[in-house]
Amino acid sequence: MTLAIVLAADAPAASLPTRSGERLADRLADQLRRAGADEVRHAAGLDELAALVDAATHPVLVTGADLVAHTAVLRHLATSPVGPTVALVLTDPPGDGHTAVREERGQVVGAGPPEALDGGATGVFGGALRVGVDDLPSLAAAARAAAAAPPVTGPAVDRLFAGLAGRGVLTFAQRVRLLVAHRVGDPAGLAAAEAAVAAVDEDRAELKLSVKERDDFFTTFFVSTWSPYVTKASAKLGLGPTAVTMISVAFAVAAAVLFGTGGRLALVAGAVLLYLGFVLDCVDGQVARYTRHFSAWGGWLDTMADRAKEYVVYAGLGYGATQAGFRYGWALAIAAITLQTVRHMTDTWYGVLHDEAARRPKAVGTAGGGIGDKLNAASNRVQADTGSVSYWLKRTVVFPIGERWALIAITVALFGPLVSLYAVLAWGVLAFAYTGALRTLRARWMRVPVLDTVDATLHRDDGPLARLLPALRPVGPLTLAVVAALGPAALLVAALLTRDGAEGLRWAVPVALLVLLAAGLGAGAAHAGPLDWLVPAALRAGEYLFAIAVGVVGDVPPWLIFGYVFVLTLHHYDLTARLEKRQSAPPLHGGTLGWEGRSVLLALAAIVGFAGIGMATLGTYLLVVFVGSVALAWVVLPARAARASVGLVGAGGRSPG
């Protein structure tokens, strides 16, 4: 249940008559209802607003009484999935008493009078915001503080927002694109704004807005040019984002089967299905944005399905290459899934690093400039030059999902699975080297700790054994994680180079395990170094390399090694998806044993000569734990919470927010 409050204090435009004859404040109230608000209240002052907020148990929408906008603008604000607290930000010049805004990476990092931002303003507050439940106490406190402050010119909603931002509340910016939103102060401004609103077809604009504003080259020119038609059709047929996601998964699985089958016709048909599956992968998000049907479950499912589809395709390519007579087809697929997962881990944590740097801009640049400062400035210039050759090169060289699927589809149709796997690995390695080098330099310049701002134990994926190990603080967690990965890497290389079979290397498995466990010595240390955001990726690399090495030494079928690594990626992507959606640990996370616990069990199985049975058993166990955790997190626990909420309301209590 969403409460909306129209704050009319210090807003003379509230009583202006609109084209329909009603007051502007009353029309805003009606628009808020159509935007999804269950209850709309008018507040004559900040103290009254604070009292309403005190009683709220769900997100609150607050608008000034001088806003003229499409109803879709308010609906987008009310349903924005970017974060709990979101503010409308416009590009209009600031009016008298309006609050200027400075934003970085979609986050409001400064708000106040234009002169207070020292020319760094990137927009102006649009007079409307949505405040999440956890931030409601700060909103009420900001309202009371603004009410008690000496009178100043300008609408009260601007003083309220400036006060909220000043309290350090993480606020995301909601920009207006294609639609219209203006703040007005007189009849002439109102008439001009209403004319601008009437000139735009709201539904057509919303359909265009369903497409990401900035996407990668292949997606922009070969998918988004026609995917809105599919989006519109899906909405008319009543297909929600989840249904579209599942159809996309079915297409990818069918493509993988065809790649494994072989034969030119099957490969071409698989390539077509892969392309259509990727189109639907884009459409599911477009349907969500067009219909405004967002959910934590949908976001999680989209993230997990994207990776699962891609890795099932790798499996199809590996099987197809093997069936075509290439001995190491599965080995290439295992290399591809390992490389891509480690890359994704660095991508995720580098994004978190940038977000944290945006929230703490004063920490950026403390290293005194240098090459990191120059790289940052150059990157910003290229990003701002939308549509230029350098812009598209920068977006393409990192090998994003659209380019990966396009490369697979083209190469498998023309040359077959083997060439496709080689192409994916070659471009992936180059992209990893490019992004790794540049991001390392920029991160050293930023000097912003990341892992210390979250549950480091959870995102390291430490188990009981790692938590019991002493902390080797002088060395640092990243150095320990990188050194630890070298042991499994050396064992894997030795096993691959052994001509007479790797069985004789079983004695080296415990040695590699001991080297790997050295990473646990960093579990209790502070992760405050400028490059410690790489620790999760290094730990993933170490665990995957150890599992692969154990599989090779133990003569485990390569398809089983791939399957085991695939299950590990599901577990680790679950953690990153929860990080991106700001969610807590999976319900059964303790049962996953930690990276070191799983590695110890695999080592024991290899030492006694049952590596295959051990890997199959452990992989099956982890898959059962994953499925059980998903069922608990998204079905059982929400249903239980809903029943408890209904019980409280039925008993006359207040429903929890």
Side-chain angles (χ1 to χ4, degrees), residues 16-113:
L16 289 177
T18 64
R19 285 183 173 183
S20 59
E22 60 186 336
R23 295 189 319 142
L24 179 56
D26 294 331
R27 187 176 70 180
L28 268 172
D30 180 62
Q31 285 183 293
L32 288 167
R33 292 187 187 93
R34 285 185 280 132
D38 301 288
E39 180 183 6
V40 180
R41 303 287 295 273
H42 291 265
L46 289 165
D47 284 324
E48 184 179 348
L49 180 141
L52 291 171
V53 171
D54 285 337
T57 57
H58 290 79
V60 172
L61 279 168
V62 178
T63 70
D66 59 354
L67 178 63
V68 177
H70 284 105
T71 301
V73 171
L74 298 174
R75 183 165 56 251
H76 292 182
L77 180 67
T79 57
S80 175
V82 297
T85 299
V86 187
L88 186 65
V89 176
L90 308 178
T91 56
D92 296 350
D96 188 22
H98 290 179
T99 296
V101 170
R102 182 165 68 88
E103 59 177 300
E104 291 186 22
R105 289 181 62 86
Q107 301 173 87
V108 175
V109 296

Side-chain angles (χ1 to χ4, degrees), residues 6 133 150 169 214 239 346 393 435 442 474 478 486 488 532 565 585 647:
V6 180
V133 174
V169 173
R214 291 188 176 190
L239 292 176
T346 62
L393 282 175
T435 57
R442 293 183 69 183
L478 178 59
L486 295 179
D532 283 347
V565 174

Side-chain angles (χ1 to χ4, degrees), residues 460-477:
R460 281 174 53 97
D461 195 23
D462 291 329
L465 179 57
R467 293 195 289 269
L468 290 175
L469 293 175
L472 194 60
R473 291 181 174 84
V475 179

Side-chain angles (χ1 to χ4, degrees), residues 94-100 112-114 124-125 152-159 162 183:
D96 188 22
H98 290 179
T99 296
V124 62
F125 175 52
V152 295
T153 59
V157 70
D158 288 270
R159 302 197 299 276
R183 300 180 69 180

